[in-house]
Every structure is written in C-alpha cells, then in structure tokens.
Amino acid sequence: MKIGIMVEGQEGLTWKRWFRIAERVESLGLDSLWRSDHFFSVMGRTERDSLEAWTSLTALAQRTRRIAFGPLVSPMTFRHPALLARMAAAVDLLSEGRLVLGVGAGWNDDEHAAYGIRLPPLKERMDRLEEGIKVIRALWTGGPIDLDGEYYPLDGASGNPRPRQQPGPPLLIGGDGELSLLAIVARYADEWNSHAAGPEAYRAKRARLEEHCRTVGRDPKQIRRSWMGGVLIAKDRNALEQRASWFKTFLTALQDVPADQVIEALRSKSWLVGTPQEISLQLGEWAAAGVQRVMLQYYDLDDMDGLGLLAEVAKTI
C-alpha cells in the first residue's frame, strides 16, 4: 500500500505552507500529494485562505521531481472539460508525466451558489461527468476533434500540446454512488477513490464496482483502488490527546464534542487515529479490503512532525 497526503486547500492553505508540505512529502519518500478543489472553506470559515487548486498544482509540478500529484477532485461543474483537458496536459508536461487527473461530478450547493455556478440535478451532473471525460480524453489525442455532445460539443477542436503521459494522465474518479457513479468508474477510470466509512463499507462498494465492471466487460484489476480519509497521528498517547485538542478547535464538526471524546468521535467517522504502530495496523485492515493507495487528509498544515510519523508508517506496510 502507498501512502499519499491530501491537503484541504480551502482550509488555510498559503504558498508558504504548500511549498513546505511539498518539500517534506517529497523528501520523506511518501507516495503522492493531493489537494481539494474548492473556492472557499467547506466548514463555513470563509476567512481562511483558499489557494486556487490548479495554480498550486502548476507550481507543484516545478517544485517537486518525484511524487505523483493531482486534484482530489476537480468538479466538472467548475470548468469546461476542454479547459480542464488543456490545463491537465500542460501540468503533465511541466511535471514530466507525474499528474493524476482526479474528477468528480460536483456537490457543494453553497459554493456553487456563492459564485453563480449552476449545480445541476444529480442525473445531469452524472451525464456531464461522463461526457466531460469523453471530451478530455478526445482532446488528449491532439485533434482536430468533432464530438456531437449534449453539453460539450466540439467542432474541429485541437488539444495540442498533448500530455507527456500517453494516451493521457491516469484518470481518477472519486465517489461511492452505487448506481451512476460507480458505473462511470467501471467504464472510464484508471483509479477509483472511495470515501467509504470503514473497510466493511468499502468492501460492499468494491463489490458493486466489480458488478459494473462485469456488465461492461472490464477486468476490475485494471482500476487502481484508493481511499481518502482523515488521520490523527502522534508519537504517544499524551501527544495524541494534545493533537486532539487542536482538531477540536479547527474542525467545526467537533465544536460540540466534549474534549475527552474527540479521539473516539474521529474514530467513529472512520478516521485513522493513533500512534504510528496503531495507524499501521489500521491501514492493514484497509489493505486487506483491497485498497492499494490511501490519501490521508492532513488538516494541520504547520505540523511537519506528523508527516514524518506517517513516513515511518509507510515503511512498515
């Protein structure tokens, strides 16, 4: 199993923090670095800095040399897929082929409303996601491309320069919706990123994905399996309780949780919580369920020691 770090970029990310995290993740030998694609805090803390996703990925392509990276995930509602295809191709070239393009259907009502972006009904979002993927992959061939789409028609469109990776960067699709979303994963994804609440829930989602794969005649082993979830790690129990106090002040969902119950509250949400040895055992359960890569949500953007502890864990699994 590979361990990647996922930064919620809308919750206080600055250039200084981003570059420090990137340097640390790269030097520690961790697998990858990911970030969300949101315009403002999804916790209602709009005063927090929110570094624009694709600008930060462009900088990351130049500031690192080894790690894989990408958005987790870019909603198809935020940008026309032709624009997303060209941005991804440029960043892939700049990074010499290390980009993974994560896409999703979009979900945050308040965010869309605040910026005047229409959030379609769920079925239309799924249709747009699927059609958008077709546009992206078509443009990565260079063109000219004609597509008679319902939402994103192309008429002689060009996609040059093409990405470094061919036929294009790996396409990651995030989500767990058992009907439409996992069907799209089965047809198009190179990697599926789940947010399932625990290994048993993940097994059920994975079984449903495999059903969709059989329907379309695709080998499920062709799709890399990853999971995104929160992590609270510290060197010992006392340090863990101190870290829990920080999380209570930062995460609005914990405001009403008694201080002595924060650790258990996070565990109940399927977070990885504990010392490096405990985290390693918890990751073993995810590996046994079939997860090949984890993207661990890392909220304290100034805690470099925790990244070092996760690198210790990575050596044990």
Side-chain angles (χ1 to χ4, degrees), residues 47-98:
E47 76 280 3
R48 290 177 177 169
D49 288 326
S50 180
L51 198 59
E52 199 281 321
W54 277 93
T55 307
S56 70
L57 294 174
T58 304
L60 187 66
Q62 292 187 297
R63 300 282 296 214
T64 60
R65 293 292 179 266
R66 180 189 59 81
I67 55 174
F69 66 93
L72 202 67
V73 292
S74 281
M76 201 63 73
T77 49
F78 281 1
R79 303 168 189 89
H80 193 289
L83 174 62
L84 190 56
R86 294 184 62 82
M87 292 163 59
V91 172
D92 190 58
L93 282 166
L94 195 60
S95 69
E96 299 185 339
R98 291 180 289 123

Side-chain angles (χ1 to χ4, degrees), residues 110-289:
D110 292 342
E111 190 173 25
H112 285 75
Y115 291 92
I117 301 171
R118 177 174 172 264
L119 183 65
L122 181 59
K123 183 183 183 305
E124 182 181 334
R125 272 181 277 155
M126 292 300 160
D127 292 342
R128 285 178 175 272
L129 174 61
E130 183 167 13
E131 187 175 316
I133 290 169
K134 293 178 181 177
V135 166
I136 290 168
R137 285 196 162 159
L139 285 171
W140 282 345
T141 68
I145 303 297
D146 297 328
L147 282 180
D148 186 21
E150 180 177 358
Y151 302 106
Y152 311 115
L154 300 181
D155 183 6
S158 169
N160 294 310
R162 299 173 67 190
R164 169 72 175 269
Q165 300 177 85
Q166 287 297 316
L171 185 71
L172 178 152
I173 300 177
D176 291 302
E178 295 189 10
L179 296 178
S180 299
L181 194 283
L182 290 182
I184 294 173
V185 171
R187 289 193 289 271
Y188 302 103
D190 298 301
E191 181 168 348
W192 165 49
N193 186 254
S194 172
H195 315 147
E200 288 307 312
Y202 172 81
R203 284 188 174 92
K205 299 292 184 182
R206 178 183 170 187
R208 189 71 180 101
L209 173 59
E210 290 172 352
E211 291 177 11
H212 285 297
C213 286
R214 286 192 291 271
T215 298
V216 299
R218 188 176 184 195
D219 184 351
K221 293 180 181 178
Q222 294 178 343
I223 304 172
R224 186 171 193 171
R225 300 178 299 276
S226 58
W227 175 75
M228 182 187 76
V231 62
L232 193 171
I233 189 170
K235 62 181 180 179
D236 55 37
R237 184 69 188 188
N238 287 337
L240 197 66
E241 292 175 352
Q242 293 175 8
R243 299 300 302 134
S245 298
W246 182 90
F247 275 91
K248 178 173 169 55
T249 64
F250 188 81
L251 299 177
T252 56
L254 295 176
Q255 286 182 348
D256 297 328
V257 176
D260 61 351
Q261 296 178 26
V262 168
I263 289 175
E264 289 308 313
L266 293 178
R267 284 178 174 152
S268 72
K269 297 178 181 294
S270 300
W271 278 46
L272 305 181
V273 179
T275 63
Q277 295 81 4
E278 291 169 332
I279 296 292
S280 181
L281 290 173
Q282 293 165 38
L283 284 172
E285 296 177 4
W286 284 99

